[in-house]
């Protein structure tokens, strides 16, 4: 029986991936992650898995944990959490949001006062005059005013003298990006309208940092996360999955990078440099090398194909229209993407316990007028790796670009879907 997308279901209300709903929830709101999904999706997955397994304490895995929505929601539901993330900054965000309360509110307030009372308020930053980070007399746009970078450097120095430095560093990252002249918009950073009139400085940075820190301190008091094991693995999820014991996971919930050629490591380039996770573009390139092959911003040495005639056929169709593509490597990207996801499903099945659930959200795509039913192809690949498909639930239709037009010039309607499988 062919795999088809089902529009008639009751998952739309709480499973549509929308991170903005997280910004109203304790701990989830500590850092905005535009590409993330809402915690309500994970709540639903945990609830249904508990009903099937008749087991309260689940072990929940996310191979692409991003800013930590899945592991954090698991812990808030008194489950065990495992998170895998290749981007070191996002891994820091997820780990910090999932920290258990280990200091009193009074201690945290005292540390915050210590940080804010220290002088000087500005210290020279290594990012001054580097690339587009600050004004350098060459570029007509820059991400941060020099005062903001220096204010960041000063606060970072004082934070590193504190016991609870991670939560304050996260507050500082959040405050600094709110003082950035650009904002995340889809697959890139776009300069804010009238960005040059805002005149952000260390004064605004310190004010926002104080408020962000107080929000975090209050959330820790409200949601202390004292129950549940938490394991985090940095690096390539295809490799990190090999470190997890077999038959150990009750629920796998994730949203992989979409097949849309977005380079997620580039979107978080400012934070990676600010935090010292990378100091040059070559180090950033090495992170890009370890990511799932969903983009063409890195030239991989090998291109593999999944054991899926469906995926191979789609790639061949796109290859046949290569003159219409904006990048000649897109067919190889498609092959590599499905191969990489095949490895994710294979290892997820190995670590899954009997009756474990697999939930993932992904969008369809299109190149050169060829529609790629990513949700259906991934469901088929998961089945080939042992998973039993329960349903493919189409959640919503997506806006499309010119790449999604068919031969008649009409745009192909893309969709975002929730795929549910069981072991």
């Amino acid at each position: 029986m062919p795999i088809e997308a089902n529009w008639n279901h009751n998952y739309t209300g709480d499973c549509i991936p929308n991170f903005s709903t997280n910004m109203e929830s304790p701990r989830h709101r500590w850092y905005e992650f535009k590409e993330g999904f809402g915690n309500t999706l994970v709540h639903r997955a945990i609830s249904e898995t508990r009903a099937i397994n008749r087991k309260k304490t689940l072990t929940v895995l996310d191979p692409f944990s991003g800013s930590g929505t899945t592991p954090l929601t698991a812990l808030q539901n008194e489950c065990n959490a495992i998170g895998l993330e290749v981007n070191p900054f996002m891994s820091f965000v997820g780990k910090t949001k999932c920290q258990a309360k280990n200091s009193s509110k009074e201690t945290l307030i005292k540390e915050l006062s210590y940080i804010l009372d220290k002088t000087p308020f500005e210290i020279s930053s290594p990012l001054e005059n580097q690339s587009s980070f600050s004004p350098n007399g060459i570029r007509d746009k820059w991400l941060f005013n020099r005062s903001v970078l220096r204010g960041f450097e000063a606060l970072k120095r004082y934070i590193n003298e504190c016991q609870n430095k991670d939560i304050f560093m996260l507050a500082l990252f959040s405050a600094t990006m709110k003082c950035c002249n650009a904002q995340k918009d889809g697959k890139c950073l776009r300069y804010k309208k009238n960005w040059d009139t805002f005149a952000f400085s260390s004064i605004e940075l310190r004010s926002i940092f104080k408020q962000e820190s107080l929000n975090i301190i209050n959330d820790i008091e409200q949601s202390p996360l004292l129950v549940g094991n938490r394991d985090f693995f940095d690096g390539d999820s295809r490799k990190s999955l090999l470190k997890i014991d077999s038959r150990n996971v009750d629920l796998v919930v994730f949203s992989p990078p979409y097949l849309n050629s977005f380079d997620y490591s580039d979107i978080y380039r400012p934070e990676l440099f600010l935090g010292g996770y990378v100091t040059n573009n070559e180090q950033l390139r090495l992170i890009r090398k370890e990511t799932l092959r969903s983009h063409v911003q890195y030239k991989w040495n090998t291109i593999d194909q999944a054991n899926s005639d469906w995926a191979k056929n789609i790639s061949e169709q796109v290859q046949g229209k290569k003159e219409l593509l904006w990048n000649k490597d897109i067919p190889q990207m498609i092959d590599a993407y499905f191969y990489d996801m095949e490895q994710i499903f294979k290892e997820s099945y190995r670590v899954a316990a009997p009756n474990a659930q697999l939930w993932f959200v992904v969008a369809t795509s299109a190149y050169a007028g060829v529609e790629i039913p990513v949700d259906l192809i991934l469901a088929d690949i998961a089945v080939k790796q042992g998973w039993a498909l329960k349903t493919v639930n189409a959640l919503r239709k997506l806006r499309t670009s010119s790449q999604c037009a068919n031969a008649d010039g009409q745009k192909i309607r893309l969709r975002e879907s929730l795929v549910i499988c069981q072991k």
Side-chain angles (χ1 to χ4, degrees):
M1 181 179 296
I3 299 174
E4 297 179 350
N6 171 37
W7 288 93
N8 185 23
H9 55 80
N10 66 352
Y11 289 93
T12 304
D14 52 3
C15 293
I16 286 183
N18 189 348
F19 188 86
S20 61
T21 60
N22 291 356
M23 298 307 290
E24 302 172 0
S25 301
R27 289 185 177 257
H28 291 279
R29 62 182 176 179
W30 291 2
Y31 208 87
E32 186 172 9
F33 186 43
K34 286 182 66 69
E35 300 77 26
F37 50 80
N39 58 18
T40 53
L41 166 68
V42 189
H43 281 293
R44 180 75 177 268
I46 289 173
S47 176
E48 292 198 9
T49 303
R50 277 176 168 160
I52 292 170
N53 287 4
R54 298 181 181 179
K55 180 180 178 183
K56 179 181 179 182
T57 304
L58 306 174
T59 295
V60 183
L61 164 69
D62 188 339
F64 305 98
S65 61
S67 65
T69 296
T70 295
L72 175 53
T73 308
L75 293 168
Q76 289 175 329
N77 280 273
E78 300 184 349
C79 293
N80 303 317
I82 304 175
L84 285 57
E85 177 53 43
V86 67
N87 185 312
F89 170 71
M90 296 314 303
S91 179
F92 163 76
V93 174
K95 291 175 186 176
T96 303
K97 287 162 64 173
C98 290
Q99 283 185 5
K101 178 182 178 181
N102 53 26
S103 295
S104 67
K105 184 174 182 179
E106 291 73 19
T107 297
L108 296 175
I109 293 293
K110 185 176 180 180
E111 287 190 339
L112 176 60
S113 297
Y114 172 84
I115 294 165
L116 292 172
D117 288 343
K118 294 278 286 184
T119 57
F121 291 167
E122 296 188 9
I123 297 175
S124 294
S125 166
L127 294 179
E128 292 181 47
N129 302 319
Q130 180 171 325
S131 182
S132 59
F133 278 93
S134 69
N136 56 14
I138 300 175
R139 297 175 180 269
D140 58 358
K141 291 183 179 181
W142 51 89
L143 294 174
F144 302 100
N145 297 336
R146 186 170 284 108
S147 178
V148 172
L149 286 178
R150 292 179 173 181
F152 174 92
E153 205 63 31
L155 288 170
K156 183 175 76 169
R157 174 181 294 184
Y158 310 140
I159 288 170
N160 283 329
E161 297 171 2
C162 296
Q163 176 184 347
N164 296 282
K165 61 183 180 181
D166 286 351
I167 64 170
F168 292 115
M169 275 307 304
L170 185 53
L172 179 57
F173 277 120
S174 182
T176 304
M177 292 311 296
K178 289 181 179 179
C179 291
C180 183
N181 296 325
Q183 60 189 4
K184 295 177 178 65
D185 181 15
K187 64 189 295 185
C188 64
L189 287 166
R190 297 187 188 277
Y191 282 88
K192 300 171 183 175
K193 186 177 181 180
N194 300 322
W195 66 272
D196 52 342
T197 65
F198 296 142
F200 291 123
S201 72
S202 61
I203 297 174
E204 287 81 15
L205 176 65
R206 291 172 61 82
S207 176
I208 298 173
F209 165 73
K210 178 180 179 180
Q211 189 56 57
E212 294 288 314
S213 296
L214 289 173
N215 289 340
I216 289 176
I217 291 170
N218 289 330
D219 281 357
I220 290 174
E221 195 71 16
Q222 181 179 344
S223 180
L225 297 188
L226 300 178
V227 177
N229 299 326
R230 55 214 76 186
D231 294 298
F232 291 92
F233 297 87
D234 296 336
D236 186 341
S237 59
R238 293 160 295 183
K239 299 175 183 176
S240 297
L241 274 167
L242 300 173
K243 302 175 183 178
I244 301 174
D245 292 338
S246 299
R247 301 165 67 86
N248 187 51
V249 173
D250 302 297
L251 172 63
V252 185
V253 184
F254 65 92
S255 182
Y258 290 0
L259 187 56
N260 52 17
S261 198
F262 283 17
D263 178 7
Y264 295 98
S265 60
D266 194 55
I267 296 173
Y268 290 90
R269 176 174 171 268
E271 291 96 329
L272 287 167
F273 274 90
L274 282 168
Y277 299 103
V278 300
T279 58
N280 54 58
N281 287 328
E282 178 57 29
Q283 292 176 357
L284 182 64
R285 183 173 175 272
L286 293 177
I287 293 176
R288 187 175 292 131
K289 177 184 177 182
E290 297 299 311
T291 60
L292 196 83
R293 291 177 287 182
S294 62
H295 57 84
V296 294
Q297 281 72 26
Y298 182 89
K299 185 71 173 179
W300 282 275
N301 293 328
T302 61
I303 299 298
D304 309 285
Q305 286 188 318
N307 183 27
S308 166
D309 292 337
W310 201 345
K312 293 174 184 176
N313 180 262
I314 286 289
S315 175
E316 290 171 0
Q317 288 183 50
V318 175
Q319 179 68 35
K321 298 186 176 183
K322 60 183 179 181
E323 72 279 359
L324 302 177
L325 297 172
W326 56 267
N327 187 292
K328 64 181 178 61
D329 294 327
I330 288 175
Q332 289 74 28
M333 174 192 74
I334 295 170
D335 283 330
Y337 177 83
F338 287 120
Y339 175 84
D340 286 351
M341 287 303 302
E342 183 177 66
Q343 307 315 303
I344 296 295
F345 291 131
K346 175 183 177 181
E347 286 304 309
S348 295
Y349 187 83
R350 179 187 63 80
V351 304
N355 296 318
Q357 303 289 298
L358 170 72
W359 289 45
F360 65 92
V361 174
V362 73
T364 58
S365 187
Y367 291 98
V370 178
E371 181 177 6
I372 306 176
V374 181
D375 51 356
L376 307 184
I377 295 175
L378 288 183
D380 182 58
I381 292 174
V383 169
K384 286 183 169 60
Q385 296 306 310
W387 291 98
L389 178 64
K390 296 179 71 175
T391 183
V392 178
N393 301 307
L395 298 174
R396 61 180 172 182
K397 295 179 180 178
L398 301 176
R399 289 181 296 177
T400 55
S401 68
S402 59
Q403 277 283 313
C404 300
N406 59 24
D408 297 326
Q410 296 180 333
K411 286 188 177 181
I412 298 170
R413 295 304 301 269
L414 303 184
R415 64 177 176 269
E416 208 161 25
S417 300
L418 165 65
V419 181
I420 302 177
C421 302
Q422 181 171 329
K423 185 170 182 179

